[in-house]
Amino acid sequence: MLKKTMIALLIVVMTVTFMPSLAFAADSGSAKTSTEKTGKVSIGKQKLSKKRIGAIIRNDEEDVSLTNIKEMLRDAIKSTWNDSVEEEEDYCPEVWNEMQTAYNTVMKRVNDATSADEIIEGYFFFFIIVPDEILEPIQTIEALGSQTKQYVTGASDLRDMKTELKKDAKKALSGYKASDYNSYYRGLINDRKAGLAEKIDKVSTFGEYAIVAAEVEEIEENEDDSYIEIDEDSEDEEEGISIGNWLYTNKEMSAARKLLVKWAKEYIRQDLPDMGYKGKKDAFDGQLKAFKAQLKKDEIMTVMLKRYDHFIQDVTKAAGIDESQMEEASSGDIVRLKKKMKQIFYQYKRRDYSSDNWDKLGTIYGKYIDRADMMYLQVQVRDSVADEMKAEMDKVPDKKKELKKLKKKYRKNLKKYLNGKKYNQKKAKPIVRKALKAVSDCRDPEDLRDMYKSYTRALKKTLRSFRIKTGKSGAGTVSKSKTVKYGKKYVVKVTPRAGHRTVSVKIDGKYKKLKNKYTFKSVKKAHTVYVVFQ
């Protein structure tokens, strides 16, 4: 199932990111992508979305040979060297030798591997997870690449570098406010505070320094650099849960909970019917409610993702669906479905719609294309999906229908300003007459909206005002008289001086009992307030 598999993958990747390992993001096309397509190498945070995982699932049958893996790793290592390292004469001998040793060591390990298991820990189409033996030399190259003679002149500088690194580590950790995190992540912060100083003290080579410096940088950026993103162009802006963080704030945890609940609802509402479920959608309301309640108690991101995975498994089983008996989706059929959607979308012409409604059509089209991208079972790839898209698009009114609907709405709204109690009719009536004529004559929805806003701004100024007149006798204060707009609130405060008291309060000529104030909740006429102090 789509989201079940997606979250299982998320858990694996996130679990790995909390270990000293490295993941290489593959090109979004095929696992057999040539090296020219791998793109620039950069270490950083990935964001997994439903659309991306859909592609992973559809292509996970692709063969990943040892030759391809080696080529991908060699390209990543070479790119790291080319991007990070200057000429030999720019470095002191100690730094240059350690970078050369790191490069030769990791290249030899890759070249000498006789099986994929020796150089990777797992493959997930977008990610190749690799062990410390690959990660640490690459981190060393990248970190030491910036340590030219401008900064490091020899081995004697290592002591000063360690001192500065301690300061950087302390500063990095001080940037995290304990109140922003739950108890689990506060514990992680405290663990790193205790362990970093000891690690820095034990550093005896520039290579060891590079590894600890990389950890300090992870703390500064709240990233666990446990993978390398190769194809930056494959990054999309879809909603998703960022992986690679070693910490998650309370706000981020809350956002993740909302997103998981949203995905759970979408799975029940859309994915289950796509897989042949014919029952009631509210049959899973109890499980969904329990899932939401459990998520609120979870303090760890990976635990929440596992809980989602279990929820999807339970719901799928309860729906009587056995995916293992279903045929996998054909990529060719998905392409044909998307082509049909495109042909339908192209039947709609930009000139026939206002900007807002044209944007709505584009949003609907994008939503259904994303849905097709996420299909992984043949039963999901149906022409009726394109028909659903067309039915939804047809509900978006063209300019003619939109204009008719807006005119009816605006005429009704404009006539409300002819309420003599609320609006000054001497001022409002001429404006309403002009506005109604302008509405009738208008031929463009966008022009009509702008025109209507202009007239309503003018009409709001005709709202009637009423005088709240206040007076008093004796030693005390009463709020000043004030002119108040129709329907607004006004509070009259009554305060006797020290040693005095309020004897009586008259509101519109009638005595009222009150302590220190009187509130006119919705002013619709003039009022008087008179207070006697003694």
Side-chain angles (χ1 to χ4, degrees):
M1 67 200 63
L2 178 58
K3 297 184 181 67
K4 169 188 164 184
T5 311
M6 173 191 70
I7 291 299
L9 175 58
L10 275 167
I11 293 167
V12 173
V13 177
M14 288 191 66
T15 302
V16 173
T17 63
F18 289 100
M19 305 176 193
S21 58
L22 180 67
F24 292 83
D27 182 82
S28 59
S30 166
K32 297 179 182 178
T33 304
S34 65
T35 56
E36 288 79 6
K37 294 182 180 180
T38 56
K40 182 181 177 182
V41 174
S42 64
I43 292 181
K45 190 163 53 176
Q46 273 281 19
K47 179 177 171 183
L48 293 188
S49 67
K50 292 186 292 183
K51 180 179 178 182
R52 171 168 294 197
I53 302 303
I56 294 172
I57 294 165
R58 284 201 311 278
N59 293 278
D60 60 7
E61 73 277 2
E62 296 281 358
D63 174 48
V64 185
S65 67
L66 177 61
T67 300
N68 286 337
I69 293 171
K70 283 186 174 184
E71 191 63 34
M72 189 180 296
L73 292 177
R74 281 193 290 261
D75 283 347
I77 295 163
K78 289 175 184 177
S79 295
T80 301
W81 180 276
N82 293 334
D83 288 347
S84 306
V85 180
E86 306 294 336
E87 301 298 326
E88 181 177 358
E89 60 266 23
D90 296 324
Y91 299 93
C92 69
E94 291 87 350
V95 170
W96 180 259
N97 290 339
E98 289 206 38
M99 287 194 296
Q100 283 277 25
T101 299
Y103 181 85
N104 293 334
T105 298
V106 72
M107 276 297 196
K108 187 175 187 304
R109 183 172 294 278
V110 171
N111 292 331
D112 292 351
T114 57
S115 71
D117 293 341
E118 295 177 36
I119 50 177
I120 68 169
E121 294 179 350
Y123 171 69
F124 304 101
F125 184 74
F126 277 101
F127 294 95
I128 293 178
I129 312 300
V130 299
D132 292 358
E133 292 81 6
I134 302 295
L135 167 67
E136 292 187 354
I138 292 177
Q139 284 184 324
T140 298
I141 293 168
E142 186 174 57
L144 293 185
S146 61
Q147 303 301 316
T148 61
K149 287 179 181 178
Q150 290 177 290
Y151 305 99
V152 181
T153 57
S156 59
D157 291 338
L158 187 59
R159 184 178 62 183
D160 292 337
M161 290 169 67
K162 288 167 62 176
T163 300
E164 286 301 313
L165 188 58
K166 278 187 177 180
K167 292 179 182 178
D168 291 341
K170 185 177 180 180
K171 182 179 178 181
L173 286 165
S174 66
Y176 294 102
K177 289 174 60 178
S179 59
D180 290 340
Y181 301 90
N182 62 35
S183 58
Y184 172 77
Y185 290 114
R186 285 198 299 270
L188 289 186
I189 295 172
N190 292 333
D191 288 345
R192 280 209 159 171
K193 283 181 179 178
L196 265 180
E198 184 179 352
K199 284 184 182 180
I200 295 171
D201 286 336
K202 290 181 179 179
V203 167
S204 59
T205 67
F206 287 108
E208 291 173 356
Y209 167 86
I211 299 302
V212 182
E215 184 176 351
V216 173
E217 185 176 352
E218 292 163 11
I219 295 169
E220 290 175 334
E221 299 177 356
N222 188 20
E223 295 178 7
D224 242 343
D225 290 336
S226 51
Y227 59 84
I228 285 183
E229 177 191 342
I230 292 178
D231 185 5
E232 291 184 318
D233 291 336
S234 69
E235 190 83 8
D236 58 43
E237 294 301 322
E238 280 197 56
E239 61 182 8
I241 298 173
S242 294
I243 63 169
N245 291 16
W246 68 284
L247 291 175
Y248 290 89
T249 64
N250 294 327
K251 186 176 180 180
E252 289 168 335
M253 292 290 286
S254 178
R257 289 186 185 98
K258 290 179 181 177
L259 188 55
L260 291 176
V261 170
K262 179 184 176 185
W263 287 354
K265 290 179 179 178
E266 289 175 353
Y267 183 80
I268 293 169
R269 184 176 64 251
Q270 181 173 298
D271 292 8
L272 286 181
D274 279 352
M275 291 186 284
Y277 175 68
K278 303 294 185 183
K280 295 181 179 179
K281 294 177 183 178
D282 60 4
F284 308 103
D285 286 354
Q287 287 168 279
L288 184 63
K289 184 177 180 181
F291 170 63
K292 290 167 68 175
Q294 290 166 338
L295 279 184
K296 288 181 179 179
K297 299 177 183 178
D298 292 332
E299 289 196 331
I300 306 172
M301 185 67 77
T302 51
V303 172
M304 293 201 304
L305 297 177
K306 286 178 183 177
R307 191 174 302 286
Y308 176 92
D309 187 39
H310 293 155
F311 170 80
I312 296 298
Q313 290 181 50
D314 293 343
V315 167
T316 306
K317 184 177 179 180
I321 293 171
D322 184 359
E323 281 186 80
S324 64
Q325 302 302 314
M326 295 184 180
E327 183 183 352
E328 290 187 9
S330 159
S331 58
D333 287 342
I334 293 172
V335 170
R336 281 191 289 275
L337 177 60
K338 290 169 70 175
K339 185 175 181 180
K340 183 175 181 180
M341 291 178 180
K342 181 179 178 181
Q343 289 171 343
I344 290 172
F345 179 53
Y346 276 31
Q347 293 173 8
Y348 299 86
K349 306 301 180 185
R350 173 66 185 89
R351 65 176 178 271
D352 296 332
Y353 293 86
S354 64
S355 296
D356 288 346
N357 283 353
W358 184 253
D359 288 344
K360 288 179 183 177
L361 287 174
T363 299
I364 294 169
Y365 176 64
K367 180 179 71 174
Y368 277 87
I369 289 295
D370 287 349
R371 180 174 168 183
D373 282 335
M374 291 164 58
M375 292 174 178
Y376 64 103
L377 296 174
Q378 193 62 37
V379 69
Q380 296 174 304
V381 189
R382 312 182 312 274
D383 285 346
S384 60
V385 176
D387 296 336
E388 287 176 33
M389 183 191 78
K390 186 176 187 309
E392 192 171 339
M393 286 183 168
D394 285 343
K395 292 179 182 178
V396 179
D398 59 19
K399 281 184 179 179
K400 187 176 180 180
K401 292 178 182 177
E402 186 182 6
L403 193 64
K404 183 178 179 181
K405 185 177 179 180
L406 285 176
K407 285 187 175 184
K408 182 179 179 181
K409 176 184 174 181
Y410 290 165
R411 287 190 184 105
K412 183 178 178 180
N413 290 346
L414 287 167
K415 289 176 182 178
K416 291 179 182 178
Y417 291 95
L418 298 177
N419 180 343
K421 292 182 179 179
K422 189 172 181 179
Y423 297 96
N424 184 324
Q425 293 303 287
K426 188 176 180 180
K427 296 179 179 178
K429 281 183 178 179
I431 299 174
V432 171
R433 281 196 296 269
K434 288 181 182 178
L436 288 172
K437 185 177 185 308
V439 167
S440 296
D441 294 342
C442 191
R443 296 291 177 265
D444 183 84
E446 291 175 1
D447 291 345
L448 182 58
R449 283 193 182 90
D450 291 340
M451 185 192 309
Y452 177 74
K453 287 179 183 178
S454 177
Y455 279 114
T456 52
R457 277 196 297 268
L459 284 166
K460 285 176 182 178
K461 294 177 181 178
T462 69
L463 190 67
R464 295 184 66 188
S465 298
F466 300 96
R467 189 71 173 170
I468 308 296
K469 189 176 181 180
T470 62
K472 59 106 179 178
S473 66
T477 59
V478 181
S479 299
K480 293 181 179 179
S481 297
K482 187 175 181 180
T483 300
V484 181
K485 290 284 188 181
Y486 181 97
K488 296 297 182 181
K489 181 175 77 171
Y490 186 59
V491 179
V492 178
K493 293 182 180 179
V494 177
T495 310
R497 287 184 187 174
H500 297 263
R501 64 188 179 89
T502 303
V503 175
S504 64
V505 178
K506 274 186 178 182
I507 308 292
D508 297 333
K510 295 181 180 180
Y511 287 104
K512 296 282 185 181
K513 289 183 179 180
L514 56 91
K515 290 185 178 180
N516 55 12
K517 66 180 180 180
Y518 184 83
T519 303
F520 295 96
K521 293 182 179 179
S522 179
V523 175
K524 295 180 180 178
K525 64 178 184 177
H527 295 280
T528 59
V529 179
Y530 192 80
V531 182
V532 177
F533 299 104
Q534 186 177 330

